[in-house]
Amino acid sequence: MRYLVTGAAGFIGARFVEAARRGGAELISVDAKVAGVFENRLEHRGLDFGETLDIDELEPFLEAGRAGDLTAVVHLGACTDTMELDERVHERLNFSYSKALWRWCARHGVPLVYASSAATYGDGRAGYEDDDTAIAHLAPLNPYGWSKQHFDRWALEREREREVPPSWVGLKFFNVYGFGERHKGRMASTILQATDQIARTGRMTLFKSHRDGVADGHQRRDFVYVDDVVEVLAFAASGGIRRGLLNLGTGVARTFADLARATFLALGRDPHVVFIDMPVELRERYQYFTEAKVARLRAAGYTKPFTSLEVGVRRYVDRLRSDQSLAPRRAHQADDDTLAPSGSRK
Protein backbone atom coordinates (compact mmCIF):
# COMPACT_ATOMS: atom_id res chain seq x y z
CA MET A 1 0.00 0.00 0.00
CA ARG A 2 1.15 3.49 -0.83
CA TYR A 3 -0.88 6.54 0.16
CA LEU A 4 -0.60 10.24 -0.50
CA VAL A 5 -2.09 12.01 2.53
CA THR A 6 -2.88 15.73 2.61
CA GLY A 7 -3.30 17.43 5.98
CA ALA A 8 -0.97 14.72 7.26
CA ALA A 9 0.35 16.81 10.15
CA GLY A 10 -3.15 17.66 11.33
CA PHE A 11 -5.34 15.94 13.90
CA ILE A 12 -6.97 13.18 11.85
CA GLY A 13 -4.20 13.09 9.26
CA ALA A 14 -1.51 12.22 11.80
CA ARG A 15 -3.65 9.49 13.32
CA PHE A 16 -4.21 8.03 9.83
CA VAL A 17 -0.45 8.17 9.21
CA GLU A 18 0.15 6.42 12.53
CA ALA A 19 -2.27 3.60 11.67
CA ALA A 20 -1.06 3.27 8.07
CA ARG A 21 2.53 2.94 9.23
CA ARG A 22 1.54 0.19 11.65
CA GLY A 23 0.04 -1.60 8.67
CA GLY A 24 3.26 -1.30 6.67
CA ALA A 25 2.09 1.35 4.17
CA GLU A 26 4.41 3.71 2.34
CA LEU A 27 3.48 7.38 2.63
CA ILE A 28 3.79 10.73 0.94
CA SER A 29 2.68 13.27 3.56
CA VAL A 30 1.56 16.77 2.57
CA ASP A 31 0.91 19.78 4.79
CA ALA A 32 1.86 23.43 5.18
CA LYS A 33 5.45 23.21 6.41
CA VAL A 34 5.19 26.12 8.84
CA ALA A 35 6.89 25.99 12.23
CA GLY A 36 8.12 22.47 11.54
CA VAL A 37 4.66 20.88 11.75
CA PHE A 38 5.98 17.41 10.96
CA GLU A 39 8.78 17.52 13.50
CA ASN A 40 7.82 19.87 16.31
CA ARG A 41 4.32 18.95 17.48
CA LEU A 42 4.53 16.85 20.61
CA GLU A 43 1.88 14.44 19.34
CA HIS A 44 4.12 13.61 16.37
CA ARG A 45 7.11 12.35 18.34
CA GLY A 46 8.37 9.11 16.82
CA LEU A 47 5.87 9.27 13.96
CA ASP A 48 7.33 8.45 10.53
CA PHE A 49 5.59 10.56 7.86
CA GLY A 50 7.62 9.09 4.99
CA GLU A 51 8.33 11.60 2.24
CA THR A 52 7.05 15.04 3.24
CA LEU A 53 5.92 17.90 1.01
CA ASP A 54 4.67 21.43 1.53
CA ILE A 55 1.24 22.05 0.02
CA ASP A 56 2.80 24.38 -2.57
CA GLU A 57 5.15 21.57 -3.66
CA LEU A 58 2.39 19.05 -4.31
CA GLU A 59 1.17 20.09 -7.76
CA PRO A 60 4.62 20.18 -9.42
CA PHE A 61 5.48 16.91 -7.62
CA LEU A 62 2.43 15.21 -9.09
CA GLU A 63 2.79 16.68 -12.56
CA ALA A 64 6.42 15.53 -12.68
CA GLY A 65 5.21 11.95 -12.19
CA ARG A 66 7.07 11.50 -8.91
CA ALA A 67 4.21 10.00 -6.87
CA GLY A 68 4.65 6.47 -8.23
CA ASP A 69 1.90 3.90 -7.97
CA LEU A 70 -0.60 5.04 -5.34
CA THR A 71 -3.19 2.90 -3.60
CA ALA A 72 -5.20 6.08 -2.97
CA VAL A 73 -5.06 9.80 -2.24
CA VAL A 74 -6.46 10.54 1.24
CA HIS A 75 -7.31 14.23 1.14
CA LEU A 76 -7.76 15.64 4.66
CA GLY A 77 -6.07 19.00 4.23
CA ALA A 78 -8.35 22.02 4.67
CA CYS A 79 -9.04 25.16 6.63
CA THR A 80 -11.30 23.71 9.34
CA ASP A 81 -11.87 26.88 11.35
CA THR A 82 -15.63 27.39 11.53
CA MET A 83 -14.97 30.86 12.96
CA GLU A 84 -12.98 31.95 9.88
CA LEU A 85 -15.43 34.11 7.94
CA ASP A 86 -13.18 35.05 5.00
CA GLU A 87 -14.71 33.06 2.15
CA ARG A 88 -11.57 33.50 0.05
CA VAL A 89 -9.57 31.38 2.53
CA HIS A 90 -12.05 28.52 2.27
CA GLU A 91 -12.36 28.91 -1.50
CA ARG A 92 -8.62 28.47 -1.97
CA LEU A 93 -7.89 25.73 0.57
CA ASN A 94 -11.14 23.76 0.64
CA PHE A 95 -12.48 24.10 -2.90
CA SER A 96 -9.82 24.98 -5.50
CA TYR A 97 -7.18 22.71 -3.96
CA SER A 98 -9.67 19.83 -3.76
CA LYS A 99 -10.71 20.27 -7.39
CA ALA A 100 -7.08 20.07 -8.52
CA LEU A 101 -6.55 16.80 -6.61
CA TRP A 102 -9.79 15.33 -7.97
CA ARG A 103 -8.80 16.11 -11.55
CA TRP A 104 -5.33 14.64 -11.09
CA CYS A 105 -6.82 11.44 -9.62
CA ALA A 106 -9.30 11.23 -12.50
CA ARG A 107 -6.55 11.65 -15.13
CA HIS A 108 -4.20 9.15 -13.51
CA GLY A 109 -6.70 6.54 -12.34
CA VAL A 110 -6.03 6.94 -8.61
CA PRO A 111 -8.80 6.40 -6.02
CA LEU A 112 -9.67 9.46 -3.92
CA VAL A 113 -11.00 9.61 -0.36
CA TYR A 114 -11.67 13.12 0.93
CA ALA A 115 -12.99 14.85 4.03
CA SER A 116 -16.35 16.53 3.77
CA SER A 117 -18.15 17.67 6.94
CA ALA A 118 -21.40 17.51 8.87
CA ALA A 119 -21.19 21.32 8.84
CA THR A 120 -22.83 21.02 5.41
CA TYR A 121 -26.10 20.09 7.18
CA GLY A 122 -26.43 23.52 8.77
CA ASP A 123 -29.11 23.66 11.44
CA GLY A 124 -30.35 20.19 10.50
CA ARG A 125 -33.74 21.29 9.20
CA ALA A 126 -33.09 19.43 5.93
CA GLY A 127 -32.18 16.30 7.87
CA TYR A 128 -28.98 14.29 7.99
CA GLU A 129 -29.51 11.94 5.06
CA ASP A 130 -26.41 11.46 2.90
CA ASP A 131 -28.32 10.36 -0.20
CA ASP A 132 -27.12 12.16 -3.35
CA THR A 133 -30.54 13.66 -3.99
CA ALA A 134 -30.57 15.36 -0.58
CA ILE A 135 -27.27 17.22 -1.02
CA ALA A 136 -28.61 20.09 -3.13
CA HIS A 137 -31.06 21.13 -0.40
CA LEU A 138 -28.51 21.66 2.38
CA ALA A 139 -27.80 25.14 3.80
CA PRO A 140 -24.63 25.39 5.94
CA LEU A 141 -24.29 28.05 8.63
CA ASN A 142 -20.77 29.33 7.91
CA PRO A 143 -18.21 29.71 5.09
CA TYR A 144 -16.41 26.52 6.14
CA GLY A 145 -19.58 24.48 5.73
CA TRP A 146 -20.39 26.17 2.41
CA SER A 147 -16.92 25.39 1.04
CA LYS A 148 -17.46 21.70 1.80
CA GLN A 149 -20.97 21.84 0.35
CA HIS A 150 -19.72 23.44 -2.87
CA PHE A 151 -17.12 20.72 -3.37
CA ASP A 152 -19.58 17.91 -2.62
CA ARG A 153 -21.96 19.28 -5.27
CA TRP A 154 -19.08 19.81 -7.70
CA ALA A 155 -17.99 16.16 -7.20
CA LEU A 156 -21.49 14.90 -7.98
CA GLU A 157 -21.56 17.06 -11.12
CA ARG A 158 -18.20 15.65 -12.26
CA GLU A 159 -19.64 12.15 -11.82
CA ARG A 160 -22.56 13.02 -14.08
CA GLU A 161 -20.03 14.23 -16.65
CA ARG A 162 -17.96 11.04 -16.19
CA GLU A 163 -14.87 12.94 -15.03
CA VAL A 164 -14.15 10.81 -11.99
CA PRO A 165 -11.39 8.84 -10.28
CA PRO A 166 -11.82 5.04 -10.46
CA SER A 167 -13.38 5.26 -7.00
CA TRP A 168 -14.20 8.29 -4.88
CA VAL A 169 -15.59 8.74 -1.38
CA GLY A 170 -16.43 11.96 0.45
CA LEU A 171 -16.84 11.35 4.18
CA LYS A 172 -18.98 13.80 6.14
CA PHE A 173 -17.18 13.94 9.49
CA PHE A 174 -19.33 14.71 12.50
CA ASN A 175 -17.77 15.85 15.83
CA VAL A 176 -14.42 14.08 15.88
CA TYR A 177 -12.46 13.96 19.13
CA GLY A 178 -9.36 12.18 20.36
CA PHE A 179 -5.62 12.32 20.80
CA GLY A 180 -3.59 14.73 18.68
CA GLU A 181 -5.78 17.84 18.49
CA ARG A 182 -4.11 20.19 20.97
CA HIS A 183 -2.60 22.29 18.18
CA LYS A 184 -6.13 23.20 17.03
CA GLY A 185 -6.50 25.62 19.94
CA ARG A 186 -10.02 27.04 20.09
CA MET A 187 -11.17 24.55 17.44
CA ALA A 188 -10.16 21.50 19.50
CA SER A 189 -13.00 19.37 20.81
CA THR A 190 -14.89 20.37 23.93
CA ILE A 191 -13.44 17.25 25.56
CA LEU A 192 -9.86 18.49 25.37
CA GLN A 193 -10.80 21.99 26.45
CA ALA A 194 -12.86 20.64 29.33
CA THR A 195 -10.06 18.29 30.43
CA ASP A 196 -7.66 21.22 30.66
CA GLN A 197 -10.21 23.39 32.41
CA ILE A 198 -11.20 20.74 34.97
CA ALA A 199 -7.57 19.97 35.77
CA ARG A 200 -6.95 23.68 36.34
CA THR A 201 -10.13 24.85 38.08
CA GLY A 202 -12.09 21.76 39.10
CA ARG A 203 -15.05 22.82 36.96
CA MET A 204 -16.06 23.19 33.34
CA THR A 205 -18.24 25.73 31.54
CA LEU A 206 -20.83 24.98 28.88
CA PHE A 207 -22.99 27.29 26.83
CA LYS A 208 -26.55 27.83 27.96
CA SER A 209 -29.27 26.91 25.52
CA HIS A 210 -30.89 29.83 23.73
CA ARG A 211 -33.52 27.71 22.01
CA ASP A 212 -36.96 26.95 23.42
CA GLY A 213 -37.43 23.29 24.28
CA VAL A 214 -33.70 22.59 24.69
CA ALA A 215 -32.43 22.60 28.27
CA ASP A 216 -28.97 23.87 29.18
CA GLY A 217 -26.44 21.16 28.39
CA HIS A 218 -28.92 19.24 26.26
CA GLN A 219 -27.63 20.47 22.94
CA ARG A 220 -26.80 17.19 21.20
CA ARG A 221 -24.02 16.21 18.82
CA ASP A 222 -22.78 13.03 17.23
CA PHE A 223 -19.35 12.68 18.89
CA VAL A 224 -17.13 10.20 17.03
CA TYR A 225 -13.81 8.90 18.32
CA VAL A 226 -10.82 9.54 16.04
CA ASP A 227 -9.72 5.88 16.02
CA ASP A 228 -13.09 4.97 14.47
CA VAL A 229 -12.66 7.69 11.86
CA VAL A 230 -9.26 6.30 10.93
CA GLU A 231 -10.74 2.80 10.59
CA VAL A 232 -13.35 4.06 8.13
CA LEU A 233 -10.75 6.05 6.18
CA ALA A 234 -8.58 2.95 5.86
CA PHE A 235 -11.58 0.87 4.77
CA ALA A 236 -12.49 3.41 2.08
CA ALA A 237 -8.89 3.94 0.92
CA SER A 238 -8.32 0.21 0.50
CA GLY A 239 -11.26 -0.06 -1.88
CA GLY A 240 -14.00 -1.01 0.57
CA ILE A 241 -16.30 1.77 -0.71
CA ARG A 242 -16.80 2.38 -4.41
CA ARG A 243 -18.27 5.87 -4.57
CA GLY A 244 -20.37 8.55 -2.98
CA LEU A 245 -20.89 10.94 -0.08
CA LEU A 246 -21.27 9.11 3.22
CA ASN A 247 -21.82 10.23 6.80
CA LEU A 248 -19.11 9.36 9.30
CA GLY A 249 -20.49 9.49 12.81
CA THR A 250 -21.74 6.99 15.37
CA GLY A 251 -25.39 7.40 14.46
CA VAL A 252 -26.22 8.34 18.07
CA ALA A 253 -26.46 11.95 19.26
CA ARG A 254 -25.31 12.60 22.83
CA THR A 255 -25.77 15.68 25.01
CA PHE A 256 -23.03 17.98 26.20
CA ALA A 257 -24.17 17.00 29.71
CA ASP A 258 -23.26 13.40 28.82
CA LEU A 259 -19.89 14.59 27.59
CA ALA A 260 -19.30 16.51 30.83
CA ARG A 261 -20.13 13.49 33.00
CA ALA A 262 -17.84 11.25 30.95
CA THR A 263 -14.96 13.73 31.21
CA PHE A 264 -15.28 14.23 34.98
CA LEU A 265 -15.49 10.45 35.44
CA ALA A 266 -12.37 9.84 33.34
CA LEU A 267 -10.51 12.41 35.46
CA GLY A 268 -11.80 10.96 38.74
CA ARG A 269 -13.52 14.23 39.68
CA ASP A 270 -17.01 15.07 40.93
CA PRO A 271 -19.04 16.88 38.25
CA HIS A 272 -19.13 20.69 38.50
CA VAL A 273 -20.60 22.37 35.42
CA VAL A 274 -21.26 26.11 35.11
CA PHE A 275 -23.50 27.36 32.30
CA ILE A 276 -22.70 30.66 30.59
CA ASP A 277 -24.40 32.72 27.89
CA MET A 278 -23.47 31.88 24.34
CA PRO A 279 -21.90 34.88 22.55
CA VAL A 280 -24.54 36.69 20.53
CA GLU A 281 -22.51 36.40 17.32
CA LEU A 282 -22.59 32.59 17.56
CA ARG A 283 -26.26 32.05 18.23
CA GLU A 284 -27.42 32.05 14.62
CA ARG A 285 -24.56 29.77 13.53
CA TYR A 286 -24.73 27.20 16.32
CA GLN A 287 -25.77 23.59 15.63
CA TYR A 288 -28.08 22.41 18.40
CA PHE A 289 -28.38 18.87 17.07
CA THR A 290 -26.37 16.62 14.76
CA GLU A 291 -26.76 12.88 14.23
CA ALA A 292 -25.29 10.89 11.40
CA LYS A 293 -27.51 8.60 9.39
CA VAL A 294 -25.12 5.71 8.80
CA ALA A 295 -27.27 3.26 6.83
CA ARG A 296 -25.36 3.90 3.60
CA LEU A 297 -22.00 3.42 5.33
CA ARG A 298 -23.24 0.10 6.70
CA ALA A 299 -24.67 -0.89 3.31
CA ALA A 300 -21.27 -0.15 1.76
CA GLY A 301 -19.79 -2.89 3.93
CA TYR A 302 -18.41 -1.14 7.01
CA THR A 303 -19.77 -3.19 9.91
CA LYS A 304 -17.50 -2.46 12.88
CA PRO A 305 -19.20 -0.96 15.95
CA PHE A 306 -18.38 2.61 16.95
CA THR A 307 -16.78 3.48 20.28
CA SER A 308 -19.18 4.80 22.92
CA LEU A 309 -18.65 8.33 24.20
CA GLU A 310 -17.75 7.06 27.69
CA VAL A 311 -15.13 4.60 26.41
CA GLY A 312 -13.69 7.07 23.89
CA VAL A 313 -13.32 9.85 26.47
CA ARG A 314 -11.66 7.44 28.91
CA ARG A 315 -9.14 6.30 26.29
CA TYR A 316 -8.45 9.87 25.24
CA VAL A 317 -7.89 11.15 28.77
CA ASP A 318 -5.74 8.14 29.65
CA ARG A 319 -3.49 8.79 26.65
CA LEU A 320 -3.14 12.45 27.58
CA ARG A 321 -2.26 11.59 31.18
CA SER A 322 0.27 8.91 30.17
CA ASP A 323 2.70 11.55 28.94
CA GLN A 324 3.38 14.53 31.23
CA SER A 325 4.22 16.81 28.29
CA LEU A 326 0.76 16.17 26.82
CA ALA A 327 -1.16 16.02 30.10
CA PRO A 328 -4.04 18.41 30.81
CA ARG A 329 -2.78 21.97 30.97
CA ARG A 330 -3.77 25.51 30.09
CA ALA A 331 -5.06 25.53 26.52
CA HIS A 332 -5.99 28.36 24.16
CA GLN A 333 -8.89 29.70 26.16
CA ALA A 334 -10.08 33.08 27.31
CA ASP A 335 -8.95 34.43 30.64
CA ASP A 336 -12.40 33.75 32.10
CA ASP A 337 -11.99 30.02 31.38
CA THR A 338 -14.81 29.95 28.84
CA LEU A 339 -14.74 26.92 26.59
CA ALA A 340 -14.49 27.72 22.91
CA PRO A 341 -17.36 26.51 20.74
CA SER A 342 -17.10 23.03 19.28
CA GLY A 343 -18.80 22.65 15.91
CA SER A 344 -19.06 19.79 13.42
CA ARG A 345 -15.67 19.65 11.82
CA LYS A 346 -12.68 17.48 11.45
Side-chain angles (χ1 to χ4, degrees), residues 56 61-62 126 148 159 185 257-258 260-261:
D56 292 331
F61 176 87
L62 292 174
K148 292 297 187 178
E159 184 173 58
D258 292 334
R261 282 191 292 271

Side-chain angles (χ1 to χ4, degrees), residues 82 117-122 139-142 144-146 148 173 287 344-345:
T82 59
S117 173
T120 58
Y121 290 114
L141 299 176
N142 52 52
Y144 166 69
W146 275 113
K148 292 297 187 178
F173 294 167
Q287 289 178 304
S344 294
R345 57 189 174 269

Side-chain angles (χ1 to χ4, degrees), residues 22 29 58 70 96 126 174 190 199 229 254 273 281 317 342:
R22 284 198 303 266
S29 297
L58 178 57
L70 293 174
S96 297
F174 278 66
T190 303
V229 171
R254 301 292 300 275
V273 178
E281 63 271 18
V317 171
S342 177

Side-chain angles (χ1 to χ4, degrees), residues 136-326:
H137 305 292
L138 301 181
L141 299 176
N142 52 52
Y144 166 69
W146 275 113
S147 70
K148 292 297 187 178
Q149 168 75 346
H150 288 158
F151 185 70
D152 288 346
R153 295 186 66 176
W154 184 89
L156 291 173
E157 182 62 30
R158 297 286 75 69
E159 184 173 58
R160 286 189 286 272
E161 297 182 5
R162 301 181 184 276
E163 182 192 356
V164 294
S167 66
W168 70 274
V169 183
L171 294 169
K172 289 178 175 282
F173 294 167
F174 278 66
N175 278 73
V176 186
Y177 69 94
F179 178 79
E181 58 172 334
R182 186 174 289 286
H183 68 278
K184 291 171 68 71
R186 67 178 184 174
M187 302 310 295
S189 73
T190 303
I191 297 163
L192 178 60
Q193 297 185 60
T195 299
D196 285 331
Q197 193 183 78
I198 294 165
R200 185 171 64 254
T201 68
R203 65 180 178 91
M204 69 178 288
T205 56
L206 289 175
F207 286 142
K208 293 178 182 177
S209 171
H210 295 271
R211 178 174 292 181
D212 290 342
V214 179
D216 293 342
H218 284 253
Q219 304 95 320
R220 292 192 292 157
R221 300 285 178 83
D222 193 331
F223 300 103
V224 58
Y225 188 43
V226 68
D227 287 9
D228 294 333
V229 171
V230 168
E231 290 266 9
V232 176
L233 282 169
F235 178 74
S238 63
I241 303 174
R242 179 66 182 171
R243 54 81 58 204
L245 296 165
L246 300 174
N247 286 333
L248 179 42
T250 66
V252 180
R254 301 292 300 275
T255 68
F256 278 91
D258 292 334
L259 179 151
R261 282 191 292 271
T263 306
F264 278 105
L265 182 62
L267 289 167
R269 300 286 192 98
D270 292 330
H272 182 191
V273 178
V274 176
F275 291 99
I276 61 172
D277 286 332
M278 185 184 300
V280 173
E281 63 271 18
L282 290 180
R283 295 180 190 179
E284 295 303 314
R285 294 186 283 114
Y286 188 81
Q287 289 178 304
Y288 272 77
F289 173 79
T290 67
E291 185 175 78
K293 303 295 185 183
V294 295
R296 294 184 70 226
L297 179 63
R298 295 307 194 192
Y302 188 80
T303 59
K304 291 185 178 181
F306 286 96
T307 305
S308 72
L309 180 63
E310 287 75 13
V311 171
V313 170
R314 167 66 69 183
R315 290 176 180 170
Y316 184 11
V317 171
D318 284 350
R319 187 163 182 185
L320 285 172
R321 298 172 86 179
S322 69
D323 189 322
Q324 189 59 40
S325 63
L326 297 172

Side-chain angles (χ1 to χ4, degrees), residues 30-53:
V30 184
D31 214 306
K33 283 188 173 180
V34 294
V37 292
F38 290 109
E39 303 87 5
N40 295 339
R41 286 182 181 162
L42 293 174
E43 296 100 327
H44 297 347
R45 285 177 303 184
L47 189 55
D48 182 2
F49 286 95
E51 185 171 4
T52 61
L53 298 172

